Amino acid sequence: MADEGTFLGEVQRGWQRFWRLSWWWKGPIIAFVALVLIGVVASIAGGGSDDKKPDSQARATTTVSATAPATATKETASPTKTPAPTATPEDTTEPTPAPTSEPTETPLDMVGQVTKSYKDNQGFMPRASADDLNVQWLPELGGLVKIEMNPETVLTEGDSLTITAHSALVASKAIWTTYPEVQQIEVTMLGDFIDQFGVSSTKVAASITVLRPTGEKFQYDGLKDLVYLDNKHLFCVADHYQIHLAIYQALGDKGCLAEWGFGK
């Protein structure tokens, strides 16, 4: 039986109450209903075109349809698939090597600069020597550049003066116009000497010192010819010179050299 309060439920309960009535009441009602039904059937058989259902039946159908419990559609959220990570292809490209920076040359100090300048000008005089070259920069001694060499080959005592004079002229040409901080140049040739006891030692064979005022007067093309002609000339022009006594005594013609050592 339908729920109480619904149309179908009320119809069902009304029908039950009807059948509980006595036949005194049910008989006439049933007879009336039967006559009505017969009239309806006769009307349909007589060509009635109304195919519609009786209002009561339509209402009942509509009510039943309206009251039928609706089946709720349960929507289930479908989980979103996470796309699988795409494999990154392995990079087989060889890394580009970093550009190699060329080593930066360390700037030369004063000694290095003077040494290079001397060697660059060495060809100016044929007997200028760079054997065992030792260059010192002594600014505390009045801006002094000391250049020492120990030639491998010395032909005679007079050749010692030639080597010293040629080297001093090269040093003057390389330094005076390039290094204003230099105020004096001392060029020394070393030699090996044996004393009266047979003891060998290295000593100054010959030395020339030129101060800047004197060096700035040099005219190198003319002075070059003078030194070629006389290996003693630059000693006499210099501000100071020194010749080992043994070499000085061995000189045949001492020329302008008044003694083995001299200083202005």
Side-chain angles (χ1 to χ4, degrees):
M1 182 177 290
D3 295 334
E4 184 177 357
T6 63
F7 178 80
L8 183 57
E10 293 301 323
V11 170
Q12 290 175 345
R13 286 177 176 77
W15 186 256
Q16 288 178 353
R17 285 194 297 270
F18 172 76
W19 283 106
R20 292 193 192 104
L21 295 174
S22 67
W23 283 102
W24 292 102
W25 292 98
K26 290 190 294 186
I29 294 174
I30 292 173
F32 175 78
V33 172
L35 290 174
V36 172
L37 290 176
I38 291 171
V40 172
V41 173
S43 176
I44 293 172
S49 59
D50 189 4
D51 294 331
K52 295 183 179 179
K53 295 180 181 180
D55 292 341
S56 60
Q57 186 179 354
R59 287 195 296 271
T61 303
T62 303
T63 304
V64 171
S65 298
T67 57
T71 303
T73 302
K74 185 177 181 181
E75 295 183 358
T76 305
S78 177
T80 303
K81 292 185 179 179
T82 302
T86 303
T88 303
E90 183 178 355
D91 187 4
T92 58
T93 304
E94 295 184 0
T96 303
T100 303
S101 58
E102 296 184 1
T104 304
E105 293 185 3
T106 303
L108 296 174
D109 58 8
M110 185 63 175
V111 171
Q113 293 179 55
V114 171
T115 301
K116 184 177 184 304
S117 296
Y118 178 88
K119 290 182 177 181
D120 289 345
N121 287 272
Q122 185 179 349
F124 183 69
M125 298 299 290
R127 292 296 285 157
S129 177
D131 295 338
D132 292 334
L133 190 68
N134 178 30
V135 177
Q136 300 178 59
W137 165 235
L138 303 170
E140 67 278 8
L141 297 181
L144 171 64
V145 169
K146 291 186 67 173
I147 300 176
E148 293 180 347
M149 76 282 298
N150 192 345
E152 294 179 357
T153 303
V154 180
L155 302 177
T156 63
E157 287 81 0
D159 194 32
S160 298
L161 302 187
T162 300
I163 293 172
T164 304
H166 284 207
S167 299
L169 191 58
V170 165
S172 293
K173 186 175 186 298
I175 292 173
W176 292 129
T177 58
T178 307
Y179 304 99
E181 60 269 51
V182 178
Q183 298 302 313
Q184 54 180 325
I185 302 172
E186 179 184 307
V187 179
T188 300
M189 173 187 157
L190 301 176
D192 296 328
F193 296 88
I194 301 176
D195 63 13
Q196 66 271 27
F197 301 106
V199 179
S200 178
S201 60
T202 300
K203 295 183 178 181
V204 175
S207 175
I208 293 176
T209 300
V210 179
L211 303 181
R212 176 170 285 278
T214 301
E216 289 180 343
K217 297 176 183 178
F218 288 174
Q219 297 296 322
Y220 293 99
D221 290 338
L223 194 57
K224 178 179 183 178
D225 294 337
L226 293 175
V227 173
Y228 269 144
L229 295 173
D230 183 4
N231 60 359
K232 308 175 191 68
H233 179 78
L234 195 60
F235 285 85
C236 298
V237 172
D239 296 284
H240 177 79
Y241 74 84
Q242 179 182 349
I243 301 173
H244 193 280
L245 184 58
I247 294 177
Y248 182 79
Q249 291 174 343
L251 296 175
D253 180 11
K254 294 180 175 56
C256 62
L257 299 176
E259 52 188 341
W260 60 273
F262 172 76
K264 294 180 181 179

